[in-house]
Structure formats: C-alpha cells, structure tokens
Amino acid sequence: MDDVSRYIDQHRARFVDELATWVKIPAISSDPSHVKDMAANAEHLKNHLAALGPDQVEVWPTKGHPAVFAEWNHAPGKPTLLVYGHHDVQPVDPLPEWISPPFEPAIREGRMWGRGVVDDKGQVMIHANAIEAFVKTQKKLPINLKLIVEGEEEIGSENLDELMRANASRLAADFVCVSDTAMFGRGIPSLCVGLRGLMYLEVTVSGPKGDLHSGSFGGGVANPVNVLAKMIAKLHDDDGKVTVPGFYDKVAILTAAERKEIASLPFDEKEWLASTGSPAISGEKGFSTLERVWARPTLDCNGIWGGFQGEGAKTIIPARASAKISCRLVPHQEPEEIQQLVASYLKKLAPPGVTVRVEYMHGGRPYLAPTDHPVFEVAKRAFTRAFGKPTVFIREGGSIPFVRTIADATGKPCLLMGFGQPDENAHAPNEWLDLENFHLGIKSAAFLYDELSRIGKS
Ligand code: BES
Ligand code: ZN
C-alpha cells in the first residue's frame, strides 16, 4: 500500500486540476437548456475512466440524463464493491452571490470553489483517483469494482430504478459504497448510517378564472393567495409538529441508545446556528437539533408564488397561487403514502371558494444502516489508516434515493463514506470542497479497497 499512498501524494496537484476541468461543465440536471451539457459531462467521465484500464466503461442512456458505468474485474475470488455517485449538479441561482463564477472553479483557503465540487463530482473523482493509484502502481485493483454514476440524483433519480432493474446482474456486488455525504467536522472521519427520505409535491389553489380588480371584487370571492398562506400555516402546530393526520403513524421512535449515541457527538449548536445565519434555533419540541435534522420527519414549503410580483403596486384578487412543499421522511414512512396524506389534508383545509390541485413531483425512501454488520469495522479501519483518527457514526438529514433502492434490491448494507463538510454550501452559492479532505478521501477509498480485499465475499 506504500506505493499506492505515495502515488496519491505525488499526483495530488494533478488530481485537483482534473477535478477542476470536469467542474467546468455545467451539468444542471433540472434545467432543460443543459441537456447537451449533461451528455458531455457523462462523456467526459467515461473518457476519464477509460484511461484507467477498466474491463468495461459505458454511458447508459435513460429516458432522462445518462449514467456512466465502469467495471474492473481483475481480482478473481475477491469481493466486488459497487461504488455509486452522481454527475449532475444543482442550479446556481442566485448567481450574484457567488464570489467566483460557479463553473470557473477557483482555489482559495485550501478549498476548491464551484458548483458540484463536493456534491458530487469531487467525491466521484475520489474513487476514480483511488482506482488510478492502484492501476498505475499495482497494474490492478485488489478487489473487483463497479462504478455507477447517475445523472439525475438532484432531480429525484426518476429513471434509476428502471436502469438498475434492467442491469441488475451487471450491478451485482458484495458491498456498496456511496460517497455523497459530509463528515461530522473537519478531519473527523465519519460513516453516515442514516439518511432521510423525501416526498416532494406542488400544490395550486385556484379561485376566479382570471385576476380580478380587488376594488370591485375584493370581499366578494376567496383570494387564492390568502387561502394558500392560511393552508400552509395550518400544516404545523405551535410545538412545531406536522398536523397532517397520520403523518407520524409509522415513524420509527428513536431508541434510548440511538439518542445517547447522537448526544455523545461533539456538536456545537452555537457554531452550527452561526453557519446558517439564522437568528435562532427552531423546530419540533422535545428533540435536540441533531435529532430533529437527522431522525425526525419534517414538512417545508420550498417556494410560494402567485398574484402580482412586479414593481410597484397592483390591486388584484389573483386567480391562483402555488407552493412547492417537501417532507423529509424517516423510517418507516413511505413517500407515496405521505404524499396521499398531505394531498388529502391540503384538500380538506381548502374553503369552498377555491379548488386545489396537487401534483406529486418525486420522492426517495429513508435509510438506516445495519451498523452491526462487519463491513462497518472494515470501513472504520480504512478511515483510521487515512486520517489517523477514530471514526464516528453520524446520520444526515438529506436524501440519496439510490441508497435504499440498492439496499432493498440486494439486501447488502450501504457504506456512506462521505468527504464533504457540514458548511460546504452544497445547493447554495459558493459550494466548496476542502482539498485536504479530497486528498485524504482518495487515500480512504484506496484503504477501503485494500481492507475489503482481506475479507471474504459477503
Ligand atoms: N449530496 C446530497 C445528499 C445529502 C444532503 C447528503 C445533505 C448529506 C447531507 C444529494 O446530492 C442531494 O442533495 N439529494 C437530494 C435528493 C432529492 C432530490 C431526492 C436532497 O437531499 O435534496
Ligand atoms: Zn449529492
């Protein structure tokens, strides 16, 4: 492993440059004007991997954006690891808030700044670089490795299930690793053992057939903006609980041991609050902040619009108002069920003067890892070898739909070995990747492959 480790040290600067080159492609999956960039992005990755001696490397088309698949089967008798990542990125707005342009990656303060540097291009390259280090120094990998990098994670992985079903045998593996999460803090190797799920919908409240003069009609018909605001306000009670009937019915209650483990982490709530810029902590009564963001379900309005938004004043009763609403889910809530519950409740809350239409957008299931599985000890050893520090178990409040899909399909645990930072500005202006984490991430991945080669197939 010394050769591999040395290679990673020697090629540190080039790895950074190569990541920067990839980050320049604006692979925004949600924006139809970037369809060609998505294809170019997949092609770029395919070409990069092709130079690392895989047995196969292919772009897999879908009904939406393409995925990239590669495999190295050089280790007969050794376990097979499936590594997952995504090559799509989030939109960049509000653009004026970026210190350097999102698709012109810049290096400042030991970090790379740009859209997708950590979510998730940098973390995909961590694995590509670890693979390279083995291929160039040992001529082969110590395990069999399959890499699937999808292009629709940021928009709900809509075509992923079908892609995985169609290619089930090619994706078969003994272990699964996903690098698309953050560490608990700088230099603290962290294994994420829980993710929340997601249910996303759009609701539209309609009243009159067109905007009306608010002088002539105000007071005579329902105002959809007023109505929608009131409906949304009724979705939480004063204790921060979601009021949708049945919402908590299937929620797995945190055990005393789980609460103890979460409480044992060195969480600095003041620092966390400061990183958000919000003036105070807020949320469901009866739970700590970490419990609320990791292991409790939520309902949030992501956007709301309707009526006059231009400059100056315009006196109307708007014809309609809409909102995008999402719920973060915990075991054992199911997105389809929660969608039904929220949609029925929204319809029930609406007064007679309006009609309500609800459109389901996407969802993903929550995940809780079986931490007593031996592979977690293996991952801990790999982390310790790279970072020289003990690993902590954490959860994340975000969602990665693939994780539950693969865990359900294969019955194998999924290792969530992420190298981001909690305040990395993912999805926001000025996303950054800590370059030390990037470097140690490459080493951790290499040590993981090495550690897995020493244990049997699962
Ligand atoms: N990398 C994130 C997942 C994540 C978020 C991990 C926060 C750790 C903390 C991923 O790319 C993401 O943003 N996922 C979406 C999924 C959704 C569109 C189904 C999310 O969580 O909003
Ligand atoms: Zn991501």
Side-chain angles (χ1 to χ4, degrees):
M1 279 305 289
D2 287 354
D3 292 358
V4 173
S5 203
R6 202 171 318 115
Y7 186 93
I8 295 169
D9 289 336
Q10 283 164 350
H11 295 265
R12 186 172 174 150
R14 178 173 55 82
F15 289 155
V16 171
D17 287 349
E18 285 173 354
L19 171 60
T21 305
W22 193 27
V23 170
K24 286 182 189 159
I25 304 176
I28 305 172
S29 51
S30 61
D31 184 344
S33 73
H34 287 281
V35 169
K36 283 208 178 110
D37 292 319
M38 289 304 305
N41 204 51
E43 204 56 36
H44 179 97
L45 177 63
K46 184 191 130 179
N47 292 337
H48 184 89
L49 298 172
L52 310 181
D55 293 297
Q56 303 285 339
V57 56
E58 294 165 11
V59 170
W60 284 354
T62 73
K63 282 193 202 115
H65 302 302
V68 177
F69 174 79
E71 60 183 322
W72 290 257
N73 292 313
H74 302 166
K78 294 288 184 185
T80 300
L81 174 69
L82 174 66
V83 174
Y84 163 92
H86 62 92
H87 66 87
D88 62 324
V89 306
Q90 283 277 325
V92 296
D93 55 294
L95 192 57
E97 289 184 21
W98 285 81
I99 293 164
S100 49
F103 298 112
E104 291 170 32
I107 310 283
R108 300 189 297 273
E109 305 157 37
R111 300 168 174 184
M112 185 186 292
W113 302 76
R115 174 55 89 229
V117 289
V118 63
D119 185 10
D120 180 35
K121 287 179 171 177
Q123 305 209 51
V124 169
M125 290 308 276
I126 279 177
H127 286 279
N129 297 335
I131 292 167
E132 177 183 322
F134 276 105
V135 171
K136 298 290 178 191
T137 60
Q138 320 291 304
K139 305 263 185 296
K140 63 186 183 70
L141 286 169
I143 51 168
N144 302 300
L145 194 147
K146 299 174 177 187
L147 182 64
I148 173 91
V149 183
E150 73 153 315
E152 298 190 305
E153 198 273 346
E154 299 291 6
I155 49 174
S157 302
E158 220 182 305
N159 296 294
L160 185 68
D161 282 16
E162 200 182 312
L163 194 70
M164 286 171 61
R165 236 176 285 124
N167 295 287
S169 59
R170 298 193 68 186
L171 294 169
D174 299 295
F175 305 105
V176 185
C177 174
V178 172
S179 293
D180 189 23
T181 51
M183 308 200 315
F184 190 67
R186 194 158 194 272
I188 306 177
S190 318
L191 278 171
C192 176
V193 299
L195 289 169
R196 289 194 290 190
L198 186 74
M199 184 289 295
Y200 207 119
L201 59 77
E202 183 169 319
V203 55
T204 300
V205 171
S206 301
K209 65 181 189 300
D211 292 355
L212 298 172
H213 191 296
S214 68
S216 315
F217 296 93
V221 292
N223 176 326
V225 174
N226 296 3
V227 168
L228 179 59
K230 197 163 169 186
M231 285 163 61
I232 290 172
K234 284 185 178 161
L235 295 175
H236 290 93
D237 68 14
D238 289 344
D239 288 337
K241 290 232 182 293
V242 176
T243 52
V244 175
F247 187 79
Y248 294 99
D249 283 2
K250 297 200 173 156
V251 167
I253 307 294
L254 277 166
T255 63
E258 286 170 331
R259 297 189 84 165
K260 201 171 151 205
E261 175 145 20
I262 292 175
S264 75
L265 291 165
F267 180 60
D268 185 335
E269 189 167 82
K270 272 205 188 104
E271 198 182 303
W272 181 87
L273 179 64
S275 80
T276 69
S278 292
I281 295 276
S282 163
E284 188 186 1
K285 215 168 157 180
F287 296 92
S288 73
T289 299
L290 276 187
E291 288 171 349
R292 292 199 304 268
V293 299
W294 285 355
R296 293 294 296 169
T298 57
L299 183 148
D300 278 294
C301 182
N302 301 266
I304 180 165
W305 66 100
F308 180 63
Q309 320 257 324
E311 264 191 49
K314 184 168 181 252
T315 44
I316 56 161
I317 304 295
R320 66 195 76 83
S322 302
K324 292 191 195 276
I325 293 176
S326 65
C327 295
R328 293 289 169 177
L329 312 177
V330 301
H332 308 283
Q333 292 176 303
E334 291 291 321
E336 295 78 9
E337 239 174 89
I338 296 297
Q339 188 262 331
Q340 289 295 335
L341 294 176
V342 177
S344 319
Y345 191 50
L346 284 169
K347 286 178 184 161
K348 197 174 143 214
L349 287 177
V354 296
T355 56
V356 173
R357 189 167 47 87
V358 176
E359 197 191 326
Y360 180 48
M361 298 178 73
H362 62 235
R365 285 171 226 291
Y367 178 69
L368 202 55
T371 46
D372 48 358
H373 191 285
V375 77
F376 287 90
E377 286 306 313
V378 173
K380 277 184 181 177
R381 283 203 296 275
F383 256 149
T384 305
R385 284 171 74 184
F387 281 83
K389 285 194 194 152
T391 301
V392 296
F393 280 170
I394 61 168
R395 297 196 195 188
E396 290 274 18
S399 313
I400 307 173
F402 168 85
V403 171
R404 185 58 188 282
T405 307
I406 194 79
D408 284 359
T410 62
K412 313 277 175 180
C414 188
L415 279 177
L416 292 155
M417 214 174 186
F419 302 99
Q421 285 294 290
D423 54 347
E424 68 199 5
N425 295 329
H427 296 204
N430 305 310
E431 179 179 341
W432 55 268
L433 166 71
D434 183 301
L435 291 175
E436 182 69 8
N437 276 8
F438 180 59
H439 182 63
L440 294 178
I442 300 167
K443 290 199 171 175
S444 305
F447 286 130
L448 176 70
Y449 308 163
D450 179 58
E451 290 285 345
L452 285 173
S453 77
R454 296 157 198 271
I455 63 165
K457 294 173 168 222
S458 122

